[in-house]
Amino acid sequence: MKPIIAPSILSADLANLERDVRLCEEAGADVIHVDVMDGSFVPNLTFGPGVVAACRRVTTLPIDVHLMMVNPEKHLEAFAKAGADVLTVHYETCPHIHRVLQTICELGVKPGITFNPGTPITPLKYLAGVFDQVLIMSVNPGFGGQKFIEACEQKLRDTAALLDEIGSEAIIQVDGGVDADNIARLFAAGARNFVAGTAIFGHPGGISAGVASLREALG
Ligand code: DX5
Ligand code: ZN
């Protein structure tokens, strides 16, 4: 499948969010990635359903919501109503992960599951059929602009092998420190959906050059 480029609006110019989301779409990005941080599971605070609804009004691209929060089950309905197309929850925050993923599905949204860099992916084995996307975090979540943790490349390969073993066709997403220098080897390791903040919004040539540089690096 064609690689998916998912700009993370965490690094957008928030005073010009509409402009930046439109520029991402015009640049050929595939998905808008929204990082929800609660100041508890992760140290930073960011967006709620209102920002998802605002993005929904200005783009036709799918909106991929990454919930870095405790008790995400309390807010799933609000994010679904706001227009999220994918809702990804952290395994670390969900003791009842199977139920949470099923609830997302019942809300008519694609369920995603994610693991911090230090968390094993073995639970996937017991969750076949209840997730559409697996996000492998390649930084400790909370901030943009961090360095890619190299061990995560092997984790992508392990994830691809495990999905194969359980017969899952879920998409593997990678998030954190993705740039034009490492994206091709992350594709080779099995990632198909690439979240990028700094590499797109921090590109000296602007958003469109940032998206293009990732596409070119993918070949
Ligand atoms: C990290 C977030 C990421 C972040 C990536 O906690 O989940 O989506 O925006 O930013 P870069 O691409 O700058 O590492
Ligand atoms: Zn993210």
Side-chain angles (χ1 to χ4, degrees), residues 51-101:
V51 170
V52 173
C55 292
R56 181 71 295 154
R57 286 199 296 275
V58 298
T59 183
T60 57
L61 292 180
I63 299 179
D64 171 41
V65 181
H66 176 192
L67 296 171
M68 287 163 271
M69 65 193 306
V70 296
N71 302 318
E73 63 281 356
K74 288 185 182 171
H75 303 279
L76 298 174
E77 200 176 338
F79 281 106
K81 281 193 177 143
D85 295 281
V86 181
L87 282 170
T88 295
V89 292
H90 271 264
Y91 173 70
E92 298 84 0
T93 67
C94 295
H96 305 291
I97 187 74
H98 191 283
R99 182 192 297 156
V100 173
L101 293 167

Side-chain angles (χ1 to χ4, degrees), residues 48-219:
V51 170
V52 173
C55 292
R56 181 71 295 154
R57 286 199 296 275
V58 298
T59 183
T60 57
L61 292 180
I63 299 179
D64 171 41
V65 181
H66 176 192
L67 296 171
M68 287 163 271
M69 65 193 306
V70 296
N71 302 318
E73 63 281 356
K74 288 185 182 171
H75 303 279
L76 298 174
E77 200 176 338
F79 281 106
K81 281 193 177 143
D85 295 281
V86 181
L87 282 170
T88 295
V89 292
H90 271 264
Y91 173 70
E92 298 84 0
T93 67
C94 295
H96 305 291
I97 187 74
H98 191 283
R99 182 192 297 156
V100 173
L101 293 167
Q102 273 187 325
T103 304
I104 295 171
C105 195
E106 284 161 14
L107 288 166
V109 177
K110 286 187 179 166
I113 179 171
T114 180
F115 301 89
N116 278 341
T119 306
I121 52 159
T122 38
L124 291 177
K125 224 171 161 173
Y126 315 106
L127 294 167
V130 290
F131 60 91
D132 289 331
Q133 188 165 290
V134 184
L135 167 54
I136 299 302
M137 287 307 301
S138 44
V139 296
N140 289 295
F143 302 95
Q146 302 183 77
K147 197 178 163 335
F148 181 85
I149 296 171
E150 288 301 330
C152 298
E153 187 179 337
Q154 181 57 43
K155 198 174 182 185
L156 288 170
R157 275 191 282 273
D158 294 344
T159 305
L162 184 52
L163 293 183
D164 221 30
E165 186 188 317
I166 64 174
S168 168
E169 295 194 346
I171 305 291
I172 303 179
Q173 183 177 51
V174 61
D175 184 1
V178 174
D179 61 25
D181 292 330
N182 60 22
I183 197 166
R185 61 187 167 94
L186 304 182
F187 182 87
R192 293 293 176 267
N193 180 319
F194 303 89
V195 178
T198 307
I200 292 176
F201 295 97
H203 194 284
I207 290 171
S208 123
V211 172
S213 73
L214 296 177
R215 286 250 188 259
E216 276 159 29
L218 281 163

